[in-house]
Amino acid sequence: MRHKRKVVALSALASVACLMLSGCGSENEKRIIRIGHNQSTNHPTHKGLTAFKDYINEQLGDKYVVEVYPSELLGSQTEMVQLTQTGAIDYCVASNAILETFSKNYEIFNLPYLFASTEAYHHVMDDEALTDPIFTSTEKAGFEAVTWLDAGTRNFYTVDKPIESPADLKGLKIRVQQSPTNIEMMKLLGGSATPMGFGEVYTALQSNIIDGAENNEMALTDNGHGDVCKYYSYDMHQMVPDIVIGNVAFMEGLTEEEEAIFEEGYDILSAVQRKEWITSVEAAKEKAANEQNVQFIYPDQAPFVEACSPLHESVLKNNPALQSTYDAIQEYNAQYPSVAE
Ligand code: GCU
């Protein structure tokens, strides 16, 4: 299965290389804009990117052709970020988690229990005064963020052991994203962190290389993890956004007029994705419960929050530049507190 995908990925890359080197194909007068992501074509992110593609093709179709490559066809997220850095592709969607290895500024949004509520999370991420310095901090590395996408709340799920408290994680191998903050979080919670790319998780679960993982509800259905994992525990440890990044040289080459159209395109992408997210998560929960027989658990979050709290202090101590953003987030938290309990 993975092998097959690799072959598809290689042939997609080969056609990308062919198009880049020779401009071959009937569209050779037009500049092809390639966007990669790691979700399926049913996912809100793909729907948002399709809306972006349609808008750009409609507005600027005489000059550009946007192509969206789903399902890791262009590689894992880390590989796609590297391709975007060099300009081999133009855009990709990367989880905020993996971006912290490209710029430490992204660590802030990887902190567990950072946001008091979904409202606080959305307001922070929509506040450009807060996000701009972070989104532009990778300019020298060749890419910048153009918008963020909702990726819900991350929770633990396991093959056969319900997680009611952090003590239940002891001795379990849990897949985390390839981010030092996430590895540290897992250590604090007592589980054994097993970092790997998203595309590897299903096979790792199925072959008992790991005992569980953590993600939003879409992973259960869209990625089939709920076929293997029967317990999903709402500890609500993180709201980690997905970030759409673009190649700086490409974006700087746009005319002012084109840039305005692209900006509008990013807004459309974000609006469509966010709207789709709400209905997709509801549908995923229903499918997981009714068709995959996943049991949803609602543990007391307090022991999880307490176990993770040293991470806030250590990240801020190692990176004091994040303090002012952290303080601003606390103001949003006070304004949009948790509605639970
Ligand atoms: C979510 C997120 C992805 C990320 C994945 C993961 O699905 O939207 O961007 O890659 O989690 O856990 O790796």
Side-chain angles (χ1 to χ4, degrees):
M1 173 91 170
R2 274 192 52 69
H3 179 67
K4 194 169 152 212
R5 191 171 56 210
K6 279 243 156 75
V7 173
V8 177
L10 284 176
S11 69
L13 273 179
S15 63
V16 166
C18 162
L19 287 163
M20 289 185 71
L21 291 172
S22 62
C24 50
S26 58
E27 304 268 23
N28 62 349
E29 293 304 311
K30 298 183 188 178
R31 166 70 161 83
I32 296 177
I33 297 170
R34 296 174 186 88
I35 310 179
H37 70 88
N38 68 357
Q39 308 289 0
S40 80
T41 52
N42 296 321
H43 195 277
T45 292
H46 188 76
K47 293 180 182 164
L49 286 168
T50 303
F52 174 79
K53 170 182 105 167
D54 291 345
Y55 180 72
I56 300 297
N57 288 350
E58 175 197 299
Q59 296 288 318
L60 298 167
D62 50 343
K63 186 163 170 194
Y64 297 105
V65 185
V66 177
E67 291 176 356
V68 180
Y69 294 86
S71 311
E72 294 194 12
L73 280 171
L74 299 182
S76 68
Q77 270 190 353
T78 304
E79 286 163 341
M80 286 190 282
V81 173
Q82 288 159 352
L83 291 173
T84 308
Q85 252 185 315
T86 61
I89 65 174
D90 304 291
Y91 295 90
C92 74
V93 181
S95 171
N96 186 88
I98 64 152
L99 289 179
E100 75 175 24
T101 56
F102 293 86
S103 160
K104 275 169 75 71
N105 290 316
Y106 280 99
E107 282 175 355
I108 188 86
F109 302 130
N110 293 333
L111 286 176
Y113 302 105
L114 176 67
F115 301 111
S117 63
T118 300
E119 289 70 27
Y121 164 48
H122 285 187
H123 277 90
V124 168
M125 296 310 299
D126 282 339
D127 184 340
E128 287 177 9
L130 282 184
T131 57
D132 262 7
I134 298 170
F135 284 5
T136 54
S137 64
T138 51
E139 187 189 348
K140 283 206 180 80
F143 70 87
E144 271 184 25
V146 297
T147 191
W148 70 280
L149 304 175
D150 200 351
T153 306
R154 297 182 78 95
N155 300 288
F156 290 110
Y157 52 94
T158 46
V159 177
D160 53 16
K161 182 176 178 189
I163 305 298
E164 309 271 5
S165 76
D168 294 325
L169 288 162
K170 204 170 161 49
L172 295 191
K173 288 200 222 64
I174 304 288
R175 180 267 173 169
V176 293
Q177 291 173 285
Q178 296 122 310
S179 119
T181 307
N182 283 3
I183 294 169
E184 197 49 42
M185 173 187 76
M186 215 44 249
K187 268 192 208 152
L188 289 169
L189 287 167
S192 167
T194 310
M196 65 177 76
F198 196 35
E200 322 275 341
V201 182
Y202 180 83
T203 315
L205 285 169
Q206 217 186 21
S207 53
N208 292 322
I209 289 171
I210 51 175
D211 303 299
E214 47 81 55
N215 215 319
N216 60 60
E217 300 86 337
M218 292 288 297
L220 297 173
T221 54
D222 218 36
N223 305 91
H225 299 178
D227 293 339
V228 190
C229 293
K230 296 302 163 194
Y231 297 99
Y232 188 93
S233 199
Y234 276 112
D235 67 288
M236 313 280 275
H237 57 265
Q238 277 168 321
M239 294 175 190
V240 177
D242 278 337
I243 309 289
V244 184
I245 62 163
N247 175 265
V248 170
F250 169 73
M251 294 191 292
E252 281 179 355
L254 296 172
T255 65
E256 231 170 83
E257 202 189 346
E258 288 167 356
E259 199 186 321
I261 294 171
F262 273 71
E263 290 292 339
E264 180 65 26
Y266 306 143
D267 288 348
I268 292 171
L269 154 58
S270 146
V272 170
Q273 196 270 354
R274 211 183 292 187
K275 189 163 162 262
E276 290 286 339
W277 182 261
I278 299 164
T279 47
S280 298
V281 166
E282 277 314 308
K285 275 191 205 172
E286 224 176 278
K287 182 176 172 196
N290 300 333
E291 291 173 36
Q292 296 173 304
N293 295 321
V294 174
Q295 198 175 315
F296 288 93
I297 297 160
Y298 297 84
D300 176 12
Q301 287 170 27
F304 292 89
V305 178
E306 199 186 326
C308 291
S309 73
L311 197 48
H312 287 220
E313 218 172 289
S314 60
V315 162
L316 291 171
K317 195 164 159 238
N318 290 333
N319 193 354
L322 297 178
Q323 186 71 51
S324 59
T325 313
Y326 185 83
D327 294 343
I329 293 172
Q330 302 318 313
E331 283 172 31
Y332 278 110
N333 283 343
Q335 217 179 325
Y336 302 99
S338 165
V339 284
E341 291 157 68

